[in-house]
Structure formats: structure tokens, C-alpha cells
Amino acid sequence: MKGADGLELSGVAGADLHVRAGELVALIGPSGSGKTTLLRRVAGLDPLPAGTVRIAGRDMARVPVERRPATMLFETPVLFPQLTVEENVGFALERGRADVTAADQLDVALTSLDLRTLRSRHPHELSAGQRQRVALARALVRRPEVMLFDEPLAHVDPAARAGLLREIARIHERLGSASLLVTHDWTDALSVADRIAVMREGEIVQVGAPRQIYSRPASAWVATRVGVPNFLSAQVEGVSTGADGHRVRVSALGRQWDVPAAPELRAVGEACIVLGHPHAFTMEEAPERREVDPRRGQVLATTFGGDHVDHDVETDAGTLVIRRPLGPRDEPWSAGTVVEVALVPEAVWAVPR
């Protein structure tokens, strides 16, 4: 396969990252964390202050932008306003290619992205999603070694967002490129990425499979980037490592629990944080409490989610967001409902404080 070595970043953004050919890595992190800057450095649009960028094993240090085997799709597609859709896509074809070959490749790109009926239109006559599809078609005919997506869904109508995300994943798979996708939406990253790299203040702080980043974030800060709303302060009361992996014993919500933990947590008495998504906690209706009971909580508010409802529950350990499946005859619990709260040990994760 072309580009078998993919994209290699050594000492860039404080880490080494190898994106294999055919692999899509999503970059997530807050605004200003350096995601777009990293893409621009790979593309050669910004200088590289440290480290090396290699594409297919070749150092890009002396390769100018126009000769790098990489294509970057921007938040706002860069199209020639005076050219039609067909002409914009065809502009990326290599000069000197046989007319029949070029025409076939252009037709395939337009057909693949459902642009045939729009081939005579100009960019100002297209929606934001259609303009991004034109940019994708242009990448398809160019067949780059590396694809760089910079927030390609930022200005796309919500109704068209899911479809365009699938198009991006399909074109990436078809090209077999090493791809980097910058997104602010961690749910997009979870749905299409082979791996996710989390960035903070210009550095990559964790790289892993989507499930790992979602369920086993390296820190409480990383947890906030993938929608973890629940944080319980605790203390390590015991440590064990066995067939079930590394675990610690903690007290929370009035009980002791043995929970999976980051390998850095090894000392009894060490402060830690137990992290959990809404589904990592359970609750049952309970009699109204007459005395302090760390197992009890009170519903403050509810958020309807179709087949589930998220309850904000006030407990002695703080306010937790707890998800409850909602059957066709079930109703959300109203504010003021007293509940007994527990956690699902295998669904939480303990990290150093």
C-alpha cells in the first residue's frame, strides 16, 4: 500500500506519534491547546520549532508545502469561487495525465460524494456541507499520503453533520491515508477514530483507543474532555494487582469498593479521584432520610434523553449525574425524590488526585 510507513511525529507536541497508513487519529482538547497548530506544522504551513515530521519514512524538513504528500481540509473549505464544482475538483488532478484517466477519476470522485448534480454550480451556490464534500472529492482525486482534517464539521448544519462524518470516514478508508482529525466534539472522535490523542497547552497528554480514553482517562483533566461529569474524592485503603488488573479499595457513598485504578496509584493513604460517567452509578427510590446517610441523595433536576433520563442527584459527596433507562411507561423522577445511590465498580476508574 502506498504510504505504508504513514505519518511519524518525533518530539512534536511533547510526544512521539505514529499514524499508520489507513489509520485515523482524532485530536481533541480545548480551544488553544495546539490542535490546529499541529496540523499546520505537519502540512508545512507553520514552522516546526522542535522534532521531526516524516511521511512514508521521508523527513519533511526541507520539503515545501506544495510538494508535501499531504492534504489539509480546513474548517472553511478553500475553494476557487470563480470555478464550478467540477473545475474545483478537477484542479487537483495531476497535470499531464491521460484525458480519459483524468475524466474517469473525476467522475468517480463526484459520484462517490453525490456531487454529480451539483457539478456546474459555484461555491456560493452550495451549503457548508456541500462545500466540504467538494473539498473531500478534491482530496480523493489527489490521493495524498496524509489527510489533515481541521474541524471539518464546524459550520455544517446539525442535520447534515452525521452524514458528512460518515463521508469523511469512508473517504479516509478508501484512500488508505494516515489521517489526523481535529475536532471539539469528543463524540465525533469516539465514533470514527481508531485512536484519540488528547492535547493540553500544546502537548499530547494521552493517546489511546477510543474506549480507553473514554473509560480509562489518564487524569481527571482528560476525563473532562470526554464527558465525565462525576468526581468522587477518596483515599486509597488497599492495593491489589491480579487477573482483574490493578485495583484499589476506597470508601465512597457510605461503602467500601474495589475499583479499577491507574497503575500510578500504589500507596495506601494516597489521595485519589474516582471518575464515572452517568451509567457508572445506580439509584433506587428510598424512604425520606431522617438523619445523615452518605448512601442517600435527593434528585435536583432531570434531563430527558429519549430512552434514558439523566438525574442530577445531590449527595453528601457532591452532586452526581446518574443515568436511568426509561421504558415506554416510565417517568423521570421529580425534583425532591429521595434515592439510594451506589456505584458500579467495574464502570468507574480511580486516578491520582
Side-chain angles (χ1 to χ4, degrees):
M1 179 185 293
K2 186 174 85 167
D5 292 327
L7 170 66
E8 295 179 80
L9 307 180
S10 301
V12 179
D16 293 343
L17 179 64
H18 181 196
V19 185
R20 298 178 296 276
E23 182 182 31
L24 191 154
V25 174
L27 294 172
I28 65 173
S31 296
S33 60
K35 305 183 299 296
T36 294
T37 299
L38 178 58
L39 258 60
R40 291 180 64 87
R41 287 172 176 169
V42 172
L45 297 171
D46 286 351
L48 187 66
T52 58
V53 173
R54 290 185 176 86
I55 297 177
R58 182 185 177 193
D59 191 340
M60 294 288 108
R62 298 184 181 277
V63 180
V65 177
E66 66 275 9
R67 294 182 59 194
R68 293 195 180 195
T71 292
M72 186 165 175
L73 268 68
F74 296 89
E75 182 176 327
T76 301
V78 181
L79 303 177
F80 298 106
Q82 74 278 17
L83 301 184
T84 64
V85 167
E86 183 173 9
E87 290 166 342
N88 264 285
V89 175
F91 193 84
L93 289 167
E94 293 179 11
R95 298 297 173 253
R97 183 175 299 178
D99 289 343
V100 173
T101 302
D104 286 347
Q105 198 159 347
L106 177 60
D107 193 60
V108 167
L110 293 173
T111 302
S112 297
L113 284 147
D114 196 24
L115 293 170
R116 287 176 61 89
T117 60
L118 305 176
R119 65 196 307 157
S120 298
R121 294 191 186 181
H122 290 80
H124 72 274
E125 300 176 286
L126 306 175
S127 68
Q130 289 169 338
R131 288 193 292 272
Q132 280 292 18
R133 280 161 48 204
V134 175
L136 280 170
R138 195 164 56 186
L140 185 59
V141 298
R142 188 182 176 198
R143 304 195 63 81
E145 304 274 3
V146 170
M147 284 292 299
L148 305 169
F149 301 95
D150 184 21
E151 287 284 359
L153 306 177
H155 302 301
V156 176
D157 183 272
R161 187 181 179 92
L164 185 56
L165 187 63
R166 288 193 294 271
E167 295 284 5
I168 288 172
R170 189 167 59 84
I171 293 303
H172 154 77
E173 184 176 356
R174 182 167 183 168
L175 290 174
S177 302
S179 297
L180 283 175
L181 168 70
V182 165
T183 178
H184 279 93
D185 192 326
W186 58 268
T187 60
D188 287 349
L190 291 177
S191 65
V192 300
D194 298 299
R195 286 187 296 155
I196 295 174
V198 186
M199 293 195 69
R200 183 181 190 183
E201 297 179 354
E203 295 193 350
I204 296 173
V205 295
Q206 185 177 2
V207 181
R211 185 176 180 85
Q212 178 188 8
I213 300 294
Y214 181 78
S215 302
R216 300 292 186 259
S219 67
W221 184 88
V222 172
T224 65
R225 310 323 310 172
V226 288
V228 179
N230 298 316
F231 299 80
L232 295 176
S233 295
Q235 192 174 61
V236 177
E237 299 174 3
V239 180
S240 64
T241 302
D244 292 335
H246 187 65
R247 307 176 75 87
V248 297
R249 186 169 64 253
V250 297
S251 291
L253 303 174
R255 310 176 199 181
Q256 279 194 332
W257 311 91
D258 285 315
V259 301
E264 295 82 9
L265 279 177
R266 294 194 168 275
V268 173
E270 186 176 356
C272 66
I273 298 174
V274 179
L275 310 171
H277 290 278
H279 66 262
F281 294 80
T282 62
M283 58 183 177
E284 297 179 353
E285 284 193 270
E288 189 167 347
R289 56 181 176 182
R290 303 183 185 279
E291 57 186 29
V292 175
D293 184 348
R295 303 184 188 201
R296 299 286 173 88
Q298 189 174 60
V299 174
L300 297 178
T302 62
T303 303
F304 178 64
D307 61 352
H308 69 270
V309 62
D310 287 344
H311 292 82
D312 292 359
V313 180
E314 183 181 33
T315 73
D316 290 341
T319 300
L320 302 175
V321 180
I322 302 177
R323 180 160 297 174
R324 186 169 68 93
L326 206 59
R329 297 179 181 273
D330 294 333
E331 293 291 337
W333 290 335
S334 60
T337 302
V338 176
V339 294
E340 184 166 309
V341 178
L343 58 81
V344 181
E346 297 306 316
V348 298
W349 176 245
V351 297
R353 185 180 300 173

